[in-house]
Amino acid sequence: MPTNFTVVPVEDGQPSSPDSDVQSPEGEDEEKPGLYSGEETPGEDSPFITTGDHEGSCDGKNMALFEEEMDSTPMVSALLNKLANYTNLTQGVIDHEKAESEDGVKKVTIRGPQMGTFIGVYLPCMQNILGVILFLRLTWIVGTAGILGSFAIVFMCCVCTLLTAISMSAIATNGVVPAGGSYYMISRALGPEFGGAVGLCLYLGTTFAGSMYILGTIEILLMYIVPDGALFVDKANEPVAQQNNMRVYGTCCLALMALMVFVGVKYVNKLALVFLSCVILSIMAIYAGVIRSAISPPDFQICLLGNRTLKNHDFEKCLKTEVINNSTVTTQLWEQFCNGSSIDADCDPYFALNNVTETKAIPGLLSGVISENLWGTYVPYDTVLEKNLSVAEVPESEKEKLKNVKDMPYVFNDITTYFTLMVGIFFPSVTGILAGSNRSGDLRDAQRSIPIGTILAIVTTSIIYLSCVVVFGACVEGVVLRDKFGFSVKRTPVIGILAWPSPWVLVIGSFFSCCGAGLQSLTSAPRLLQAIAHDGLVPFLQVFGHSKSNGEPTWALLLTAGICEIGILIASLDVVAPILSMFFLMCYLFVNLACAVQTLLRTPNWRPRFKFYHWTLSFLGMSLCLSLMFVSSWWYALFGMLFAGCVYKYIEYRGAEKEWGDGIRGLSLNAAQYALIKLEEAPPHTKNWRPQLLVLLSLDSDLMVKHPRLLSLTSQLKAGKGLTIVCSVLQGIYMNRGADAKRSEKNIKAAMAAEKTKGFCHAVVCSNLRDGFSNLIQSAGLGGMKHNTVLMAWPCNWRQAEDSSSWKNFIETVRETTSAHQALLVAKNIDSFPCNTERLTEGTIDVWWIVHDGGLLMLLPFLLRQHKVWKKCKMRIFTVAHLDDNSIQMKKDLYMFIYQLRLDAEVEVVEMHASDISAFTYEKTLVMEQRSQLLRQMQLSKTEREREIQSITDESRSSIKRKDRPKDPTPNTLQVPGAAPLENEAHMFHGKNTKSHTGSPSSDHVHMTWTKEKFISERNRHREASQGVRDIFNMKPEWENLNQSNVRRMHTAVKLNEVVVNKSQGAHLVLLNMPGPPKNKGGDENYMEFLEVLMEGLDRVLLVRGGGREVITIYS
């Protein structure tokens, strides 16, 4: 029921003046965001038909409350005005208007003709459906397949088009269909990839339809109108000569038609009524002839020799001999079977043994011939058409005298016939159902006219075809029906001898009908190609989107003529017809698919006015289209599907940027929702576990990716499989930095594309980075598609950073992943990792398996080696044996374990026995603790800092002055190598240190200098010297006062680093177990130092921390 609107005028308290409070901003001519820019079809990206400018939509103060929204949202009155004035012009008219405006001529508003259902849809569909196949091939199909077989063929094809029309009606009435018709409907319903593929299929089908109509025109011309106009005549090889004539005349006809289309479509449209009248008159003549045959059958005789059909255009009388003036003389027929005209001449044995008989070509509707034509008669190529009669057979002794049948005036079958061939040849006769939707821009009410007109046209033509099948079989002799070109009835079309009042009515009518259909094809195909080119789906077709000043797509017309010429060079209507059947069936298949998908998805925008549809009907139509494709020609069907698939993948590869709200996207969303729900039902099994990565990126000041090699490592680990979420955190408030977040996502997407990383990206804005990373770790992903592994870069230069938040955020992230039971991968020196274009030469990926935390250490090298960057690298697995371990048995067990894991790796067990803690370890621990103390001092006030330094100094001095030390170490005494010689040095250093603290006027400034080169030189000098180790900072307390837990951890890091550097310094990548952070947050900085020592001297390191579950298994 239509909605009633009541418009109530609202008067302002003050009259509006030209100087209104609401002024349009400067640069009002500039394109506003969200408005139609001219690059897209109006109405595709906007919720309504068009949203132009909104100037003047808010005068006065009536709507001052909404004045800030006026730039983006129109007033209802302005919107209704746009809807009322909406006109839908074809692209050619729009280009014509643009050309006129560019020349300075005043643009004239062009309103398209407003046509109703009968003129705009019904008659064009009738004209396109009824055509060449009806006039030239339907009688042959009935004679070959029989009435029952032909009825089945026609019924299947008509049901297919009827179901397609129902689906098309639902799509066409689901909103306004701009100019573009069927292509527009299909592409907007199925998306750019399917739209481009189906659009090209529809274009090629329309183009080859033009070839078929032109071949039909030339066949009528040379066979029936001007039989003596053949340029090539070769009775020995007549089919080849006939094909050459078709090629020459067809090319000339194509040139004339293309010239007519180029000159102007208006002339073609003026002739359309003439062509339609010819079709209607021809059909009326057929039915008039059927009625007359029931009353008085026409006197058309065919000549039979035995049971063989003869061509009767070379002789007048169907007699061997005749009596003239009481003397027997031979006829023209005698001379064609005998060596001479005399009675005693040697004749063909079959001619001599069988009589010549005449029979009626059209026995009549009531003759009972229908019973003979019920069943099909399929014959091989180049066989004589025979009637089912008993004849005299030639004896074996006489067969050597038989002449070559090719030299005889028999009617031969020019093609091997079978049922599926009949389907492929007939189907083009039911195409043309899209003619009404192609005129959607010219209709008064397209949503009402298209369904009614199209379905009525299909029903009407289906009745015509089915009735013609029955009446042809009931009126015409079977051998005459199988005579494709009418050779047995003096080169008259078989359907013509049935027509009344004269065969010439049907000959002339069918000739002009084919001419009109060919012109229509050459008119619509270039415009269809132009619409595809305007969408920009296939880049190399964009040149065909241009048109001349008169609106004609000249380049598209030239390409159409070139493709049409290919069909003409085939020179056989029977071969061209199955080709265009494939393309039209592909198009109809996708129309049904579009309707079925939209119906099943129940998208909110799917509200067709046509209610007589159902998804089961669409699926039935789709199945029928697919079946007819393979029934008619399975190799053509495979070629058509391959062609459509290639176009689909090409558009997908080029990256279709169009978003049309298509049903395939909705289908993908539904499938994704279903899959996510299924995935969430149970956690993945160990066999299916793969790293689903959450990549935490850092951005520089320009919001560009700081470490793009982290994305390279991601793509090398994933190879496009599984889930990858790339995230970054911006510090601030979202309302202030929303634009920066969008720009960051754009930059991240560009970096992902450059590094060939497939996945999703997201940039969030948070008040601090710590909370942002925590939120991402907790909430990234959806349902079952959540990450299980976090990948991040090692915070380089964390010691020199003024702000300690970088390394503190890193440690908190480690704690977060541990609490969330997620794996963690930390890449050190990430910028030195290989990019995707590099190919590492033979080297190794070394795995140091210290503790077992799920087997992720073994899985990662296997995944990396699947990528071409790491493919040539070998995998080595090292494990550490302690004093109580049997290293030989450990190696055997490890080798067996790796073998059962199906991994190709070398195995080595490294023995690392317990040893005394070295001076270097104490030195590293000392430096670490001093640095921690100094950093804490930097955070104190001046007075507190001086007091803290004095207490440290006093404690050190008192410990140095101790005299009561045991000379012999006891088992409980901590033995420090070289401690005795260092006592005096330590005393001296601390004395200097005390003076510096007490005497320096600027004691509130603490200076630290610790470079890598100085540290290495100091370490080497201390190792070589026999005396103890000097303090780098000149502030060293006694070693026995160090935290023994830190000393043990540092000892482990130093010893393990020595072993790893010794074995794996030349490896391309080293994977290490990452120790967990301390539970006490006071030791966070020491934890960073331990990790630095552990990775020192190694180029590429990947620290791995498992998520607490097994990720690799030995079972199948």
Side-chain angles (χ1 to χ4, degrees), residues 494-515:
V494 176
I495 197 173
I497 63 175
L498 183 62
W500 183 85
S502 171
W504 284 101
V505 174
L506 193 130
V507 170
I508 300 300
S510 60
F511 176 79
F512 282 110
S513 172
C514 292
C515 287

mmCIF file of all heavy atoms in Angstrom, residues 494-515:
data_model
loop_
_atom_site.group_PDB
_atom_site.id
_atom_site.type_symbol
_atom_site.label_atom_id
_atom_site.label_comp_id
_atom_site.label_asym_id
_atom_site.label_seq_id
_atom_site.Cartn_x
_atom_site.Cartn_y
_atom_site.Cartn_z
ATOM 1 N N VAL A 494 11.231 -24.739 -46.310
ATOM 2 C CA VAL A 494 10.187 -25.704 -45.961
ATOM 3 C C VAL A 494 9.040 -25.005 -45.252
ATOM 4 O O VAL A 494 7.857 -25.303 -45.508
ATOM 5 C CB VAL A 494 10.773 -26.827 -45.081
ATOM 6 C CG1 VAL A 494 9.674 -27.774 -44.632
ATOM 7 C CG2 VAL A 494 11.857 -27.574 -45.839
ATOM 8 N N ILE A 495 9.372 -24.063 -44.383
ATOM 9 C CA ILE A 495 8.299 -23.345 -43.691
ATOM 10 C C ILE A 495 7.540 -22.432 -44.656
ATOM 11 O O ILE A 495 6.394 -22.072 -44.418
ATOM 12 C CB ILE A 495 8.894 -22.546 -42.505
ATOM 13 C CG1 ILE A 495 7.790 -22.137 -41.543
ATOM 14 C CG2 ILE A 495 9.686 -21.351 -42.970
ATOM 15 C CD1 ILE A 495 8.309 -21.493 -40.272
ATOM 16 N N GLY A 496 8.216 -22.073 -45.776
ATOM 17 C CA GLY A 496 7.576 -21.198 -46.755
ATOM 18 C C GLY A 496 6.482 -21.890 -47.545
ATOM 19 O O GLY A 496 5.474 -21.263 -47.908
ATOM 20 N N ILE A 497 6.685 -23.191 -47.822
ATOM 21 C CA ILE A 497 5.650 -23.894 -48.584
ATOM 22 C C ILE A 497 4.393 -24.098 -47.758
ATOM 23 O O ILE A 497 3.321 -24.379 -48.295
ATOM 24 C CB ILE A 497 6.169 -25.255 -49.091
ATOM 25 C CG1 ILE A 497 6.513 -26.179 -47.917
ATOM 26 C CG2 ILE A 497 7.383 -25.059 -50.003
ATOM 27 C CD1 ILE A 497 6.919 -27.569 -48.333
ATOM 28 N N LEU A 498 4.535 -23.946 -46.434
ATOM 29 C CA LEU A 498 3.363 -24.055 -45.578
ATOM 30 C C LEU A 498 2.635 -22.721 -45.456
ATOM 31 O O LEU A 498 1.448 -22.678 -45.145
ATOM 32 C CB LEU A 498 3.775 -24.572 -44.190
ATOM 33 C CG LEU A 498 2.688 -24.822 -43.149
ATOM 34 C CD1 LEU A 498 1.728 -25.906 -43.635
ATOM 35 C CD2 LEU A 498 3.313 -25.210 -41.821
ATOM 36 N N ALA A 499 3.362 -21.630 -45.678
ATOM 37 C CA ALA A 499 2.792 -20.298 -45.466
ATOM 38 C C ALA A 499 1.744 -19.974 -46.528
ATOM 39 O O ALA A 499 1.763 -20.485 -47.653
ATOM 40 C CB ALA A 499 3.910 -19.258 -45.483
ATOM 41 N N TRP A 500 0.836 -19.111 -46.139
ATOM 42 C CA TRP A 500 -0.213 -18.650 -47.035
ATOM 43 C C TRP A 500 -0.255 -17.117 -46.985
ATOM 44 O O TRP A 500 -0.084 -16.539 -45.928
ATOM 45 C CB TRP A 500 -1.562 -19.220 -46.601
ATOM 46 C CG TRP A 500 -2.690 -18.849 -47.522
ATOM 47 C CD1 TRP A 500 -3.067 -19.477 -48.676
ATOM 48 C CD2 TRP A 500 -3.580 -17.740 -47.358
ATOM 49 N NE1 TRP A 500 -4.127 -18.841 -49.252
ATOM 50 C CE2 TRP A 500 -4.470 -17.758 -48.457
ATOM 51 C CE3 TRP A 500 -3.705 -16.733 -46.403
ATOM 52 C CZ2 TRP A 500 -5.468 -16.794 -48.614
ATOM 53 C CZ3 TRP A 500 -4.688 -15.787 -46.555
ATOM 54 C CH2 TRP A 500 -5.568 -15.830 -47.663
ATOM 55 N N PRO A 501 -0.376 -16.458 -48.069
ATOM 56 C CA PRO A 501 -0.818 -16.925 -49.401
ATOM 57 C C PRO A 501 0.320 -17.362 -50.302
ATOM 58 O O PRO A 501 0.083 -18.007 -51.312
ATOM 59 C CB PRO A 501 -1.512 -15.683 -49.966
ATOM 60 C CG PRO A 501 -0.794 -14.527 -49.349
ATOM 61 C CD PRO A 501 -0.408 -14.971 -47.980
ATOM 62 N N SER A 502 1.578 -16.999 -49.959
ATOM 63 C CA SER A 502 2.685 -17.319 -50.847
ATOM 64 C C SER A 502 3.932 -17.555 -50.016
ATOM 65 O O SER A 502 4.109 -16.933 -48.947
ATOM 66 C CB SER A 502 2.925 -16.181 -51.844
ATOM 67 O OG SER A 502 4.121 -16.381 -52.562
ATOM 68 N N PRO A 503 4.833 -18.433 -50.489
ATOM 69 C CA PRO A 503 6.098 -18.605 -49.780
ATOM 70 C C PRO A 503 6.911 -17.324 -49.705
ATOM 71 O O PRO A 503 7.721 -17.154 -48.790
ATOM 72 C CB PRO A 503 6.819 -19.677 -50.600
ATOM 73 C CG PRO A 503 5.739 -20.406 -51.316
ATOM 74 C CD PRO A 503 4.679 -19.393 -51.595
ATOM 75 N N TRP A 504 6.686 -16.410 -50.680
ATOM 76 C CA TRP A 504 7.469 -15.174 -50.684
ATOM 77 C C TRP A 504 7.130 -14.284 -49.484
ATOM 78 O O TRP A 504 7.962 -13.469 -49.069
ATOM 79 C CB TRP A 504 7.250 -14.407 -51.981
ATOM 80 C CG TRP A 504 7.993 -15.028 -53.118
ATOM 81 C CD1 TRP A 504 7.487 -15.833 -54.097
ATOM 82 C CD2 TRP A 504 9.387 -14.891 -53.379
ATOM 83 N NE1 TRP A 504 8.461 -16.227 -54.965
ATOM 84 C CE2 TRP A 504 9.665 -15.652 -54.545
ATOM 85 C CE3 TRP A 504 10.433 -14.220 -52.759
ATOM 86 C CZ2 TRP A 504 10.934 -15.747 -55.106
ATOM 87 C CZ3 TRP A 504 11.703 -14.307 -53.310
ATOM 88 C CH2 TRP A 504 11.950 -15.068 -54.458
ATOM 89 N N VAL A 505 5.963 -14.432 -48.929
ATOM 90 C CA VAL A 505 5.636 -13.665 -47.723
ATOM 91 C C VAL A 505 6.597 -14.020 -46.598
ATOM 92 O O VAL A 505 7.148 -13.143 -45.911
ATOM 93 C CB VAL A 505 4.179 -13.937 -47.296
ATOM 94 C CG1 VAL A 505 3.869 -13.254 -45.965
ATOM 95 C CG2 VAL A 505 3.210 -13.475 -48.367
ATOM 96 N N LEU A 506 6.839 -15.301 -46.444
ATOM 97 C CA LEU A 506 7.726 -15.733 -45.377
ATOM 98 C C LEU A 506 9.188 -15.471 -45.733
ATOM 99 O O LEU A 506 9.992 -15.124 -44.858
ATOM 100 C CB LEU A 506 7.515 -17.220 -45.088
ATOM 101 C CG LEU A 506 8.182 -17.655 -43.783
ATOM 102 C CD1 LEU A 506 7.200 -18.409 -42.920
ATOM 103 C CD2 LEU A 506 9.395 -18.518 -44.068
ATOM 104 N N VAL A 507 9.554 -15.623 -47.011
ATOM 105 C CA VAL A 507 10.942 -15.375 -47.410
ATOM 106 C C VAL A 507 11.318 -13.921 -47.151
ATOM 107 O O VAL A 507 12.349 -13.614 -46.524
ATOM 108 C CB VAL A 507 11.150 -15.748 -48.892
ATOM 109 C CG1 VAL A 507 12.515 -15.270 -49.374
ATOM 110 C CG2 VAL A 507 11.020 -17.247 -49.084
ATOM 111 N N ILE A 508 10.493 -12.991 -47.615
ATOM 112 C CA ILE A 508 10.787 -11.573 -47.424
ATOM 113 C C ILE A 508 10.690 -11.201 -45.948
ATOM 114 O O ILE A 508 11.534 -10.462 -45.412
ATOM 115 C CB ILE A 508 9.813 -10.713 -48.258
ATOM 116 C CG1 ILE A 508 9.948 -11.060 -49.747
ATOM 117 C CG2 ILE A 508 10.071 -9.231 -48.031
ATOM 118 C CD1 ILE A 508 11.338 -10.830 -50.297
ATOM 119 N N GLY A 509 9.683 -11.736 -45.265
ATOM 120 C CA GLY A 509 9.531 -11.429 -43.845
ATOM 121 C C GLY A 509 10.706 -11.912 -43.016
ATOM 122 O O GLY A 509 11.226 -11.176 -42.158
ATOM 123 N N SER A 510 11.147 -13.146 -43.257
ATOM 124 C CA SER A 510 12.284 -13.668 -42.504
ATOM 125 C C SER A 510 13.571 -12.933 -42.851
ATOM 126 O O SER A 510 14.437 -12.731 -41.987
ATOM 127 C CB SER A 510 12.436 -15.165 -42.762
ATOM 128 O OG SER A 510 12.651 -15.408 -44.145
ATOM 129 N N PHE A 511 13.704 -12.492 -44.118
ATOM 130 C CA PHE A 511 14.897 -11.752 -44.513
ATOM 131 C C PHE A 511 15.006 -10.441 -43.732
ATOM 132 O O PHE A 511 16.050 -10.126 -43.145
ATOM 133 C CB PHE A 511 14.863 -11.480 -46.021
ATOM 134 C CG PHE A 511 16.005 -10.643 -46.517
ATOM 135 C CD1 PHE A 511 17.250 -11.206 -46.726
ATOM 136 C CD2 PHE A 511 15.844 -9.279 -46.766
ATOM 137 C CE1 PHE A 511 18.306 -10.433 -47.171
ATOM 138 C CE2 PHE A 511 16.892 -8.504 -47.214
ATOM 139 C CZ PHE A 511 18.126 -9.085 -47.427
ATOM 140 N N PHE A 512 13.930 -9.664 -43.696
ATOM 141 C CA PHE A 512 13.975 -8.395 -42.972
ATOM 142 C C PHE A 512 14.033 -8.607 -41.463
ATOM 143 O O PHE A 512 14.617 -7.788 -40.735
ATOM 144 C CB PHE A 512 12.763 -7.537 -43.350
ATOM 145 C CG PHE A 512 12.904 -6.873 -44.682
ATOM 146 C CD1 PHE A 512 12.120 -7.280 -45.756
ATOM 147 C CD2 PHE A 512 13.829 -5.864 -44.887
ATOM 148 C CE1 PHE A 512 12.251 -6.681 -46.992
ATOM 149 C CE2 PHE A 512 13.955 -5.262 -46.122
ATOM 150 C CZ PHE A 512 13.171 -5.664 -47.188
ATOM 151 N N SER A 513 13.440 -9.693 -41.003
ATOM 152 C CA SER A 513 13.530 -10.001 -39.580
ATOM 153 C C SER A 513 14.975 -10.248 -39.162
ATOM 154 O O SER A 513 15.436 -9.732 -38.136
ATOM 155 C CB SER A 513 12.669 -11.215 -39.255
ATOM 156 O OG SER A 513 12.887 -11.642 -37.928
ATOM 157 N N CYS A 514 15.699 -11.025 -39.956
ATOM 158 C CA CYS A 514 17.110 -11.287 -39.647
ATOM 159 C C CYS A 514 17.936 -10.017 -39.755
ATOM 160 O O CYS A 514 18.848 -9.777 -38.946
ATOM 161 C CB CYS A 514 17.657 -12.359 -40.571
ATOM 162 S SG CYS A 514 16.942 -14.002 -40.304
ATOM 163 N N CYS A 515 17.648 -9.173 -40.755
ATOM 164 C CA CYS A 515 18.368 -7.902 -40.881
ATOM 165 C C CYS A 515 18.153 -7.034 -39.651
ATOM 166 O O CYS A 515 19.105 -6.456 -39.088
ATOM 167 C CB CYS A 515 17.890 -7.159 -42.121
ATOM 168 S SG CYS A 515 18.457 -7.873 -43.678
#
